[in-house]
Every structure is written in structure tokens, then in C-alpha cells.
Amino acid sequence: MGVTRVVVGLRHPLKHLRGKAIQLLRHQGIQVDVVGEDLQSKLFKEALGSCLIVNAPLLYRAAFHVPFSVLKYAMTADGKIAASTGHASWVSGKASRGRVFELRGRSDAIIVGGNTVRLDTFTCVVDPRLTARHVKGGHVPVRIVMSQSFNLPEEANLWNVHDAYTIVATQRGARRDLQKKLAMKGVEVVEFEMLNPRDVMSYCYDRGYLSVLWECGGTLAASAISARVIHKVYAFFAPKIIGGVNAPTPVGELGMKQMTQAIDLIDVSYEQVDRDMLMSGFLQPIPDLSPVIPSVDEIPSVDPEVSPYETNIISFYKTWDTFGAFANFSPHPISLPDENGDCFTWPTVEHYYQAHKFVSVDNPQARDIVQEIKQARSPEEAARIGRTRQRELPELIGSPRKLM
């Protein structure tokens, strides 16, 4: 009998995509009901809320032109994220740390401040890797270190780009000598005129990131919250007390003098994680970008908000494509032919793009480069390999293939 009815949870937030699929299905005689429009009972209002939460990263990105940003921290029952010495291993339990690996596995990038790297490295407390290594099958997020002064150690686990790709965001001209040393290790250094969370998030947006996880200290967390680039908080509460007047807290100075100025979290939820308690909530309402839609009879065959888009070739690079969900650097596997014409699941489009610079050349060295790119652990690493080999061995570059 086939499909007779389709229930749509949420219209696409991008205007040029809104209504196309719905109109097509309705023109084929299929009943299409949109939650919140055609279906408005209490049950469906709750369903709409769930749809908004599930699609929050896409909605925040479309509305504010920055990635969906989550601030994560673990603190003791008296509100400390570390002892007065800076020692923080471990505030939360093993089960909570496992949840953090899951959060990382769902993020495109993880952000820490330079102070976190300095404390963890110089005190030999953790020397963090900031990977999702305990989540089987999870992708590896990019690690971003924000350091205005570039006062960073020359040796750290974060500089090992075989674990994951690392970017250091800094202020223009800061410690060029150390910049060169880290660049030789494969670390990418990005300079800003004035380093601040808003500009870094704009940079991540342009790079195609959908979700970013902030695992920074209180000073950077306060700056990010003040810049209104933090959208959700995951707070792990551990049943222990450490005390200490100078022991750090999750969020630094926000300039608030009265409790009435406090930011109230929205859609708060609580979950017991072994001995710890996880509280999560949004700092800003989830943007509902659904348009005001007239009745079915009033909608013309072509939605006036939709710009017709007809093409057989989709072009995109380091940014979302016209369908709002894909970029060369987005962490989404794609099945396309490899150098032998066999279907191969490429980790990202960037892997495919870089490898296919070399596939049309009958040369053992070119084939080795393709294999090297296939095994790259991140799109940034694939890009680095492809561009380096292209620059070093231009004679191995063949005719590019179009992505159809």
C-alpha cells in the first residue's frame, strides 16, 4: 500500500528549504501533518518541545550564526572545580567522566583556555588529550586552545596531532617563536586581532562546526557567557567538599551584584550518574524558526519563501552547503567510489576531495598518498596531507572529479 501519512516534527529552519518536501508529498496525495500546525493537542505540544531540543544545534546555528555551544564542568558540593592548588583529578566519578566522552563524541570541537593547559601540564595532574577515546566508533573532535598571550608549554599531549587535530587561537603577533615550533608539530595557529569568544565562534561557524563543547576554566567560561555564545550547560555535581577560599569555581566574574540578575536556566533536567548528579539546562530559549504557515488550501504550489534551486552538482567547502547540513569538514561519513571505483565510506567529504586529487594518476606514490589520506584521523589532517603532497609533488595531481 505504501506510505499514506507523514508526520513532520519541525520545518527546516533554513527558509529556502521550508515546505518543499511537504508540498511534494501533498501533491502526491500523501497526508502530511506538521506538529504544532496541523497537530496541536497537549501531547503534540510536548512532542514539539522534544523536536526543538533534538534539533537545538541546527536551530541555534541557523538563528545566531555561531555553533551550538555547551559549557561542561564538574564541581564539588561546595561549588569548586579544583583544590586551591589547582589539583582536579578527579572531581567527578568514572561514570560521569564516561558521559563527558560521549559529549565530546557528539561535538565538532572542544575548547579550553591556555590556563587549563598550563595548569594540567606543568603540575602533571592530567596533561589532557581531550579526545573521545573511550567511545567506540565516535569521531574525533578538533581541540581548540584559546590563549591570548600564547604562554603555553612546548610539550603537551594536545600538540600530538595523531590523537586529534589541534588549533591554537591567539592574538596577532604573540610569541611567534613558539608558534613556529607548534606549527612544525602539525598544530594550526590562528591569529585574531583581539582574541575573544565571539570571534572564535564566528570562525568556528565559518569552518562549518555545528556543536562545540567548552571545557574551560571559570575565567574563560564567564567571558563566553557574557558574549552570549554559550547556549547550554552540563553541570556534574560530586558529593564531596574540598573548601578553600581561593579554590576555583566553574564561572568567574560576570559583573552581577544582585541575585535578581542571575541567569535562570531553561528546560532544566536532572539525572543521577552513579554517585554524581548531572544537571543540564539552556541559557537561552531554543529559537523556534518555524514560520507562520497558512492553511493547506492557501499555500501555493511553490512556497513564496523558497528560492528554486536546480543543479546536478553541489558545491561546498568549509561551510554548510545549500541544504544546511553538510560541509567538507563536517564529521559525517559519506559513501562514494574510491580509486578503484568500489564504494568506500569516507570519514568526511574532505577526505574524498583530497584523495581524488591523486586517483587518476597511475603512479605507486600517488596510490600511497591516497591510502595515507584515507587513514587520516580528521578532515584537517586529510587537508594537510593533501595540500602538502600537492605542493611537494604537483606532477602527481590528476584531473579532479566532480562530486555528483
Side-chain angles (χ1 to χ4, degrees):
M1 185 175 180
V3 177
T4 59
R5 185 190 183 199
V6 173
V7 176
V8 177
L10 203 64
R11 287 181 181 264
H12 204 289
L14 300 182
K15 287 185 177 182
H16 67 285
L17 297 177
R18 227 172 258 160
K20 271 192 170 183
I22 294 174
Q23 289 300 317
L24 179 62
L25 291 172
R26 284 173 173 166
H27 289 160
Q28 296 297 319
I30 297 174
Q31 179 183 348
V32 180
D33 296 317
V34 181
V35 174
E37 298 174 19
D38 310 292
L39 307 172
Q40 296 186 352
S41 68
K42 180 181 179 181
L43 177 64
F44 285 112
K45 287 183 179 179
E46 294 176 355
L48 177 59
S50 298
C51 290
L52 290 171
I53 291 174
V54 168
N55 289 280
L58 179 63
L59 295 169
Y60 277 105
R61 191 184 198 282
F64 303 125
H65 291 187
V66 293
F68 176 63
S69 289
V70 173
L71 172 64
K72 183 279 304 178
Y73 55 82
M75 68 181 187
T76 60
D78 56 337
K80 310 297 184 181
I81 61 174
S84 299
T85 60
H87 190 277
S89 301
W90 295 98
V91 173
S92 58
K94 185 175 181 180
S96 294
R97 297 197 298 274
R99 292 295 299 273
V100 172
F101 287 126
E102 294 176 7
L103 286 173
R104 291 176 181 175
R106 296 200 299 266
S107 304
D108 294 319
I110 301 168
I111 293 184
V112 296
N115 195 43
T116 299
V117 180
R118 286 189 294 274
L119 282 174
D120 287 339
T121 303
F122 293 145
T123 61
C124 297
V125 172
V126 178
D127 194 6
R129 286 182 170 84
L130 297 181
T131 63
R133 58 189 179 278
H134 292 179
V135 180
K136 293 183 178 179
H139 92 100
V140 181
V142 174
R143 304 170 299 191
I144 300 177
V145 179
M146 289 182 61
S147 176
Q148 190 171 36
S149 63
F150 217 88
N151 180 20
L152 300 170
E154 290 189 24
E155 300 296 331
N157 282 327
L158 288 178
W159 311 152
N160 182 356
V161 296
H162 295 291
D163 286 342
Y165 196 75
T166 301
I167 298 171
V168 177
T170 188
Q171 202 130 307
R172 188 170 301 281
R175 294 195 66 184
R176 288 287 171 80
D177 57 332
L178 183 56
Q179 287 193 32
K180 291 179 181 179
K181 291 179 180 179
L182 295 189
M184 291 179 66
K185 296 175 182 287
V187 175
E188 180 179 349
V189 178
V190 180
E191 292 185 323
F192 292 81
E193 291 297 335
M194 290 295 293
L195 184 66
N196 61 82
R198 170 63 64 176
D199 287 348
V200 172
M201 286 299 92
S202 295
Y203 170 80
C204 289
Y205 173 85
D206 292 338
R207 196 145 180 159
Y209 297 162
L210 176 64
S211 296
V212 171
L213 181 64
W214 294 69
E215 295 195 45
C216 54
T219 301
L220 183 54
S223 179
I225 291 173
S226 297
R228 296 182 61 81
V229 296
I230 299 296
H231 306 118
K232 190 173 186 179
V233 169
Y234 280 84
F236 293 88
F237 296 91
K240 57 182 71 171
I241 293 175
I242 188 66
V245 175
N246 297 319
T249 58
V251 180
E253 180 59 52
L254 291 174
M256 298 179 182
K257 305 302 181 184
Q258 299 179 3
M259 190 57 66
T260 53
Q261 297 175 284
I263 302 171
D264 289 324
L265 299 185
I266 305 167
D267 291 326
V268 178
S269 63
Y270 303 89
E271 178 185 350
Q272 188 83 32
V273 184
D274 198 14
R275 296 183 69 244
D276 301 332
M277 178 65 71
L278 169 60
M279 182 202 71
S280 62
F282 293 88
L283 273 72
Q284 305 172 34
I286 301 175
D288 184 356
L289 303 182
S290 301
V292 177
I293 302 295
S295 67
V296 176
D297 297 333
E298 296 173 322
I299 299 178
S301 58
V302 178
D303 190 327
E305 288 190 316
V306 176
S307 300
Y309 185 79
E310 298 287 341
T311 183
N312 292 324
I313 301 177
I314 303 170
S315 300
F316 48 91
Y317 179 72
K318 276 195 177 180
T319 183
W320 283 7
D321 69 331
T322 51
F323 296 98
F326 222 14
N328 279 27
F329 284 66
S330 292
H332 306 297
I334 182 170
S335 295
L336 287 169
D338 63 8
E339 67 276 15
N340 300 316
D342 300 324
C343 188
F344 177 78
T345 300
W346 300 85
T348 67
V349 174
E350 186 65 17
H351 285 74
Y352 175 89
Y353 169 73
Q354 294 295 341
H356 277 72
K357 294 177 179 179
F358 304 91
V359 296
S360 61
V361 177
D362 187 13
N363 183 291
Q365 195 171 8
R367 289 192 287 271
D368 289 343
I369 294 172
V370 171
Q371 293 304 314
E372 186 181 9
I373 294 172
K374 277 185 173 182
Q375 296 169 13
R377 295 184 57 125
S378 69
E380 286 81 6
E381 183 182 350
R384 178 177 57 80
I385 294 171
R387 292 168 188 164
T388 301
R389 301 296 181 265
Q390 180 178 3
R391 184 172 59 254
E392 295 172 345
L393 303 165
E395 68 276 9
L396 296 183
I397 301 298
S399 301
R401 297 186 181 183
K402 293 180 179 179
L403 179 60
M404 300 299 287

